[in-house]
Amino acid sequence: MSRVVVVGAGLGGLAAAARLAALGHSVTVCEASHEVGGKLGLHERDGFRFDTGPSLLTMPQVFRDLFEATGGWPPDLSFVPLDPLARYRWADGTRLDASSDLDEHCARLDAALGDGAGDDWRAFTARAERIWDASRGPFLESALSGPGTLGRLALRQPGDLAAIGPGRSLRSLGRRYLRDPRLRTYLDRYATYTGSDPRRAPAALAAVPYVEQAYGGWYVPGGLRRLGEAVHERGLERGVEVRLGTRVTRIERAGGRIHGVRLEDGGTLPADLVVANADASTVYGLLVDSPSSVRRLARATPSLSGFVMLLAVRGRTPGLAHHNVLFPTDYDAEFDAVFGAPAKPVEDPTLYVSAPDDPAVRPDGCEGWFVLVNAPRHRAGGDGSGRGDGSQGDGSPGAVDWRAPGLADTYAEHLLDLLAARGLPVRDRVLWREVITPADLEERTGSVGGAIYGTSSNGATAAFLRPANRSPVRGLFLVGGSSHPGGGLPLVTLSAQIVAGLVGPAD
Ligand SMILES: Cc1cc2nc3c(=O)[nH]c(=O)nc-3n(C[C@H](O)[C@H](O)[C@H](O)COP(=O)(O)OP(=O)(O)OC[C@H]3O[C@@H](n4cnc5c(N)ncnc54)[C@H](O)[C@@H]3O)c2cc1C
């Protein structure tokens, strides 16, 4: 049996803790904040229960695997499938209710965009399925081993590597299969699910819409936060100790091995193994010295962040689905603002509104709107690097100082205007609102700059630059969205599965 310290109680940390405890290890989780869940956050007020992070769940089997491996499905947790997956509206007024049933989806595409759009999507989905089949086992469900991973992809089936199309962007793959510009915009959006720019993200991200199409989009009654609570409870049942308000300031090692962690209050905790769920750049930059890992991370583009408004809304809104996506006229301008240098808040962003019709999360006769737009990450002083062009001089994107006086409020007001302009005039019905900026996200979850997904997938090699789950430091493992295989609830849960596999059962 090993003594394991998990640094951080985000979903990845909690899932790793539960799995390792179920394998017989003695597990302590140290969480800096006073609650578990990290980005899978909750805001409760006046009978409203808002998810402050994730709102859409995919790949439900990953969570089934987690619970099966740790003691069975929790009796008070359920997933419900969504139809429509999301209601899309383009700037020209076109509307689409997306379905996870391929035939139905294609029929709806034909009806919304014109004959032929469904066939285009079907052909694209066939290619996306090949990409998913080729990358799932050797990449997503396996520990990353640099060029070895590419080798596994190349050798498994002749043609797998060609299907993935290394060097090709998601945008270019869309152009190859999809004739309608609105359908291309629809595909582009999936790059943002990994915090990326479709013009630079690899074609391999076609697996993201495929997964949604094949495995559906799901909601957790009571809010997605319930999932984090269930994984936390599962860990406790398996004997995990969770220490809240306990920041780790150093991972201690001697003789090339981990021997414990140092805590903010000056105390120490002995450990044979450390599983770090904190942002990888914090782990390698602050908690442990690994200059080569820091250099490697610096080569990747940080993921985009998000600007969130939680709106407590009086009354009910006709035509509002559970998930709603309102596209702008010029989608590229959004990526230029987020990933450009200088970076700036997006003037005319895609608006995402999630308003679950679930009595457990809103008072009678009301709606809780979670409004999210993509945003550049936060840096104090923003792009005031003195270079004038706002860049850091290394080609990496700029940042915005989201703490600048008045910025958050002015931007929130602007988004309310945009909602009205796109057919959702909600301002007069807002009982109260809370705003979460990228700076708030950084402060609450320790994600550098409020990056939602650690590093983005921008660039052909990005996936391989993402830190591996087994670190170069003996006894130190990484779990969560800033390490392999990436961000999003299913992938961070897969990263916990990979780490548990690398550690193995207690002797
Ligand atoms: C606005 C938003 C919308 C999203 N939407 C979706 C969605 O619809 N679907 C989806 O699947 N995913 C979505 N995501 C992404 C998803 O939330 C994350 O990928 C996932 O929750 C990250 O989990 P994690 O394990 O990486 O840990 P994190 O949530 O990043 O948590 C890390 C934890 O480590 C703690 N920590 C950091 N440093 C220390 C330290 N030194 N000592 C102790 N503790 C420390 C932090 O306090 C934090 O609790 C969204 C995220 C956001 C923010």
Side-chain angles (χ1 to χ4, degrees), residues 233-303:
E233 282 154 23
R234 175 52 47 86
L236 297 179
E237 285 161 22
R238 305 304 307 212
V240 172
E241 184 193 351
V242 179
R243 296 192 182 188
L244 298 177
T246 306
R247 181 180 296 280
V248 170
T249 53
R250 192 79 191 152
I251 296 168
E252 308 267 31
R253 55 179 170 155
R257 267 214 77 89
I258 296 290
H259 68 86
V261 296
R262 183 167 292 282
L263 307 175
E264 198 171 32
D265 65 7
T268 53
L269 264 183
D272 307 307
L273 303 174
V274 170
V275 177
N277 182 220
D279 198 281
S281 50
T282 304
V283 176
Y284 287 134
L286 284 178
L287 301 185
V288 77
D289 296 319
S290 183
S292 60
S293 306
V294 172
R295 276 197 300 277
R296 205 179 150 84
L297 263 172
R299 282 162 54 204
T301 308
S303 136

Side-chain angles (χ1 to χ4, degrees), residues 106-125:
C106 292
R108 291 182 191 177
L109 280 171
D110 279 341
L113 307 181
D115 284 347
D119 282 346
D120 285 2
W121 187 253
R122 201 182 289 282
F124 172 81
T125 301

Side-chain angles (χ1 to χ4, degrees), residues 26-100:
S26 161
V27 185
T28 305
V29 179
C30 297
E31 166 55 49
S33 77
H34 291 278
E35 50 190 337
V36 300
K39 297 186 185 86
L40 185 49
L42 176 72
H43 183 79
E44 283 183 292
R45 181 173 155 190
D46 303 341
F48 289 87
R49 187 181 150 97
F50 283 97
D51 281 317
T52 60
S55 51
L56 180 69
L57 194 72
T58 50
M59 295 173 69
Q61 70 279 13
V62 171
F63 307 100
R64 271 185 221 119
D65 290 348
L66 168 67
F67 287 117
E68 256 164 41
T70 56
W73 188 261
D76 53 352
L77 182 72
S78 58
F79 293 172
V80 293
L82 292 174
D83 184 15
L85 281 172
R87 178 161 294 159
Y88 292 86
R89 248 188 255 172
W90 284 264
D92 67 357
T94 307
R95 215 170 101 157
L96 170 76
D97 278 358
S99 166
S100 58

Side-chain angles (χ1 to χ4, degrees), residues 6-14 30-33 35-40 52-58 63 193 224 246-249 277-279 282 287 306 308 352 370 372 441 443-447 450-453 479-482 486-492 495:
V6 178
V7 183
L11 184 66
L14 293 171
C30 297
E31 166 55 49
S33 77
E35 50 190 337
V36 300
K39 297 186 185 86
L40 185 49
T52 60
S55 51
L56 180 69
L57 194 72
T58 50
F63 307 100
Y193 284 29
L224 268 70
T246 306
R247 181 180 296 280
V248 170
T249 53
N277 182 220
D279 198 281
T282 304
L287 301 185
V308 173
Y352 171 71
F370 166 90
L372 170 67
L441 196 58
E443 188 177 302
R444 291 177 191 191
T445 70
S447 72
I452 293 185
Y453 301 100
V479 72
S482 59
L489 300 174
L491 295 199
V492 306
S495 80

Side-chain angles (χ1 to χ4, degrees), residues 102 122-135 163 206-207 210-211 214:
L102 183 60
R122 201 182 289 282
F124 172 81
T125 301
R127 171 73 179 265
E129 182 175 12
R130 285 173 57 214
I131 292 175
W132 169 247
D133 286 344
S135 55
Y210 175 74
V211 157

